[in-house]
Amino acid sequence: LAAVELGKVMGAKVIAAASSEEKLALCKEKGADLTINYETEDLKTRIKELTTGKGVDVVYDPVGGKFTESALRGMAWKGRYLIVGFSNGEIPQIPMNLPL
């Protein structure tokens, strides 16, 4: 939630992604412009739809796990991926051709 608030203060268009509608509603309360439920929507596809194909400039990821690759694939050219932790317990393995 702090990342959502900081993004808004910095002037970013914030797209919050979470696993439940309750979590997404809280993100909206804190200022998220758009939301993605990655349990019911394809994360990469939805990111591309919401950004008209461009992708996101920054990913802030405190969770890690199975959605890391989808988030990485949803990034814009020269985007930045900030991994903050692995709260789900899984350290993601990504194909290194993606950041290349």
Side-chain angles (χ1 to χ4, degrees), residues 17-40:
S19 62
S20 73
E21 294 305 319
E22 295 79 21
K23 291 176 183 177
L24 294 171
L26 184 54
C27 290
K28 287 286 264 185
E29 286 178 30
K30 295 295 182 180
D33 298 292
L34 302 165
T35 60
I36 302 170
N37 183 328
Y38 51 70
E39 291 294 343
T40 60

Side-chain angles (χ1 to χ4, degrees), residues 25-90:
L26 184 54
C27 290
K28 287 286 264 185
E29 286 178 30
K30 295 295 182 180
D33 298 292
L34 302 165
T35 60
I36 302 170
N37 183 328
Y38 51 70
E39 291 294 343
T40 60
E41 302 174 270
D42 181 74
L43 183 60
K44 176 196 163 209
T45 301
R46 193 68 182 125
I47 289 169
K48 293 293 189 167
E49 289 171 356
L50 294 174
T51 61
T52 59
K54 178 184 178 243
V56 293
D57 294 315
V58 178
V59 172
Y60 173 91
D61 183 359
V63 178
K66 66 181 181 179
F67 295 106
T68 297
E69 184 176 335
S70 294
L72 189 62
R73 288 179 182 275
M75 291 179 57
W77 178 249
K78 295 189 179 183
R80 294 163 309 276
Y81 198 104
L82 177 61
I83 189 96
V84 181
F86 309 106
S87 65
N88 82 342
E90 180 185 336

